[in-house]
Amino acid sequence: MTKGFYFGLGHGVGLEVHEPPSLGLSGGEPLIAGDVLAVEPGIEGLEGIGGVRFEDLLLVTEDGCETLTRYPYDL
């Protein structure tokens, strides 16, 4: 089993669930206003602990980003 942080940081969302731009080491395309991104950092396969992954949808704006996900972070 693969362990640790072994997958991409995120990806674009549009007509397809997974589409460019890619985020993280596999990405290289510039982000432009109007892009919608799934940002999903996580770590998995830690023996005796398990893993966790968060996923947020972000809208890239002219001056930063807007979080589209409306869910609390507290446990």
Side-chain angles (χ1 to χ4, degrees), residues 54 70-75:
F54 291 96
R70 302 288 181 236
Y71 196 83
Y73 288 102
D74 54 333
L75 296 175

Side-chain angles (χ1 to χ4, degrees), residues 2-73:
T2 306
K3 298 178 182 179
F5 184 77
Y6 59 89
F7 43 82
L9 176 61
H11 52 83
V13 175
L15 296 176
E16 302 286 330
V17 175
H18 293 93
E19 63 181 45
S22 293
L23 304 176
L25 295 175
S26 64
E29 305 102 281
L31 302 179
I32 58 171
D35 281 346
V36 175
L37 308 170
V39 179
E40 46 191 14
I43 192 164
E44 298 176 358
L46 301 178
E47 191 171 325
I49 297 174
V52 66
R53 181 183 284 201
F54 291 96
E55 182 167 344
D56 283 313
L57 286 178
L58 303 177
L59 170 64
V60 177
T61 63
E62 291 292 338
D63 58 352
C65 67
E66 175 187 343
T67 303
L68 301 176
T69 304
R70 302 288 181 236
Y71 196 83
Y73 288 102

